[in-house]
Amino acid sequence: MADCVDVRAINLTKVFERDGKPLTVIDNVSFEVKRGELVAIVGPSGCGKTTLLRILAGLVKPTSGEVVLDPEREQSGVALIPQSAVLLPWRTLLQNATLGMEIAGRCSAAALERVHSRIEAFGLMGFENSLPEELSGGMAQRVAVIRALESQPRILFCDEPFSAIDFVGRLDLNTRFKYMCVVQGITTVFVTHNIEEAIFLGDKIIVMSSRPAHIVSNYRPQLSVGSDDAVECRRSPEFADLFQRIWRDLKNG
Amino acid sequence: MVRPHFIRITFLQILFCLIVIAAWECAGRESSRVFFEIGTPLVTLREFFHLLFQEHLLKHFLITGSEAAVGLIIGTVIGTSAGLSLWYSRSLALAARPFIVAVATLPIFAFAPLMIVWFGIGWGMKVALAAFSTVFVAFDQAYRGANLTSSDRIEVLTAMRATPTQIFTKAVVPGAIDWVLSSMRLNVGFGLLGAFIGEFIAADRGLGYLILRASGLYNIPRALAAAFGITVLAFLLNGVAWYIELHRRSLVQLISVPRIVRR
């Protein structure tokens, strides 16, 4: 059970055409995400991380290679947290937060109760009836996170979901996010350019090179202190060590 | 509370009307030619009361109004649903495009005589003409609005494995609502025009019929008085369209948000 692979990327390559010339964005990328695991993908800006995530989520077809999702898990729920929150402007914060569970057909009074408590946990209470135009970028991203988590996904794809949130708020959200993913047993692919975020969140870290993106290295962080707290984890010696190594990989990749 | 500049603007509007009416009255009294061509306000008012009390103006008003309104509703419903549903099939939409443009640019009133063949000379013919003259605008606007749905929104829903129908009701239709409503505003004019042309071709009732008959008798003030009825009608229909536009938020909620979280 623990060894089931939920997401399998097999020899993914993506070639775009720019000015009539082929431009390889992703070059032969293969990896696996096991059930309940959180895989963090780090890479420099513009390296094709977002494209890779879109291919995994089934929004873009790869030029060659394929993505295999566990059919049963895919059936019971997939969600995406895009980089820009993409809230629907005619829906209130609460209604945007419930969109995911509406799509998944999981709209009930109990579910609504849960959304309310999550809105509170994310520091958004009092804004339930606000429209997206009245929310800051960071608030909108939090709503996008709730929207995805409340659809009760089995597989979750995240594209820098906390990039518009200030440092302190980001640490807090990292802690909560990791807790929720673990509790719900969600298989997660998390794209970020923030090394520290990747170290804290990832069961596995995949470091990508700049374009054309290929995998430079893999890490499995083993934090001896505070693996469930984004602030505490920085005390562990492995954190600093891993940070250095990933930073070097990124620089040389 | 009434704001002071509102009072000032209303005052200016009334003043403007008074000046125009006074100038018209003077011109009509001074020149017999002007009197023949546009009468005077007082005569027009007299003719208005004549129509109102002797010629059942209200009945004609309601007939034309119902023709335009029913035609408008039919045209809007058919055009909007067809235009929105084309979102489902991109290839069908692209294939249909040139035909739609061709039909939409045809002056619909060229078909007016055919309407008699198809729908007779009664109330139904005017309704059909009003529907015909509104359906293409409604279609075109709905089609455009639906196809402008941002790909980001579709992607988020697609990634959540939403069905096409879920995407349609939750993202496409609510996003196109402004286009649909603005087509309705445009179509108030087209619907009225359709009803009128219908009455000009063949009718024994309605405001168009009153105008046609009064002009036939060179009774310009009477024609003007009937035309005033049209203005009122346009004003009312526009008011309804405006009211619906004002409540578009509730409309969107009703269409796309489940009751449990609806406001």
Side-chain angles (χ1 to χ4, degrees), chain B residues 10 34 96 139 174:
Chain B
T10 312
V34 171
F139 177 89

Side-chain angles (χ1 to χ4, degrees), chain B:
Chain B
M1 201 184 79
V2 184
R3 279 165 300 166
H5 82 263
F6 179 77
I7 298 174
R8 199 166 66 230
I9 286 171
T10 312
F11 172 75
L12 283 174
Q13 286 166 336
I14 293 171
L15 189 69
F16 176 74
C17 288
L18 286 177
I19 290 173
V20 170
I21 290 172
W24 179 11
E25 184 72 43
C26 293
R29 281 169 197 262
E30 285 303 311
S31 146
S32 59
R33 187 178 164 83
V34 171
F35 184 80
F36 174 74
E37 278 175 5
I38 55 169
T40 68
L42 282 178
V43 181
T44 308
L45 195 66
R46 199 186 66 213
E47 287 299 333
F48 180 77
F49 284 117
H50 170 81
L51 285 177
L52 194 59
F53 296 118
Q54 254 92 55
E55 308 244 6
H56 309 290
L57 179 63
L58 212 56
K59 186 191 83 182
H60 295 288
F61 180 85
L62 288 177
I63 287 169
T64 305
S66 63
E67 289 160 358
V70 174
L72 180 63
I73 292 169
I74 293 175
T76 303
V77 168
I78 293 178
T80 303
S81 17
L84 289 176
S85 351
L86 260 195
W87 171 84
Y88 275 98
S89 168
R90 183 135 197 95
S91 41
L92 184 63
L94 288 174
R97 192 88 199 126
F99 301 107
I100 293 156
V101 172
V103 180
T105 46
L106 259 175
I108 205 68
F109 303 113
F111 287 109
L114 289 179
M115 292 292 165
I116 300 180
V117 180
W118 293 336
F119 299 100
I121 54 166
W123 185 80
M125 181 264 276
K126 285 87 179 177
V127 170
L129 204 56
F132 256 104
S133 48
T134 53
V135 72
F136 294 107
V137 175
F139 177 89
D140 198 54
Q141 294 276 305
Y143 170 77
R144 274 175 213 231
N147 279 283
L148 277 178
T149 311
S150 86
S151 55
D152 288 355
R153 291 176 192 163
I154 294 178
E155 280 196 351
V156 169
L157 292 171
T158 308
M160 291 199 261
R161 305 301 186 256
T163 62
T165 303
Q166 281 176 326
I167 297 176
F168 185 68
T169 54
K170 303 227 179 267
V172 176
V173 175
I177 201 90
D178 284 344
W179 290 76
V180 170
L181 293 179
S182 79
S183 84
M184 209 173 57
R185 270 283 260 277
L186 268 172
N187 269 337
V188 165
F190 285 123
L192 269 174
L193 197 61
F196 268 114
I197 305 270
E199 286 176 353
F200 278 179
I201 308 169
D204 57 0
R205 62 199 72 175
L207 291 174
Y209 161 74
L210 284 186
I211 293 176
L212 197 65
R213 206 186 49 181
S215 341
L217 297 171
Y218 291 98
N219 190 341
I220 312 298
R222 187 173 293 179
L224 287 177
F228 178 71
I230 304 164
T231 315
V232 174
L233 200 53
F235 211 74
L236 284 179
L237 286 177
N238 255 315
V240 174
W242 174 80
Y243 182 82
I244 296 174
E245 248 185 295
L246 202 68
H247 289 80
R248 66 178 179 281
R249 273 244 134 85
S250 325
L251 196 65
V252 167
Q253 294 270 321
L254 205 66
I255 298 167
S256 73
V257 181
R259 192 173 313 131
I260 190 167
V261 285
R262 203 178 289 156
R263 279 222 280 170

Side-chain angles (χ1 to χ4, degrees), chain A residues 87-124:
Chain A
L87 304 182
L88 299 178
W90 51 83
R91 282 176 168 246
T92 62
L93 186 153
L94 176 68
Q95 292 167 347
N96 268 295
T98 59
L99 182 66
M101 63 191 212
E102 286 169 30
I103 299 294
R106 297 188 171 117
C107 219
S108 65
L112 192 60
E113 204 54 48
R114 252 194 351 258
V115 172
H116 274 295
S117 62
R118 198 151 282 183
I119 284 174
E120 200 171 324
F122 276 48
L124 295 167

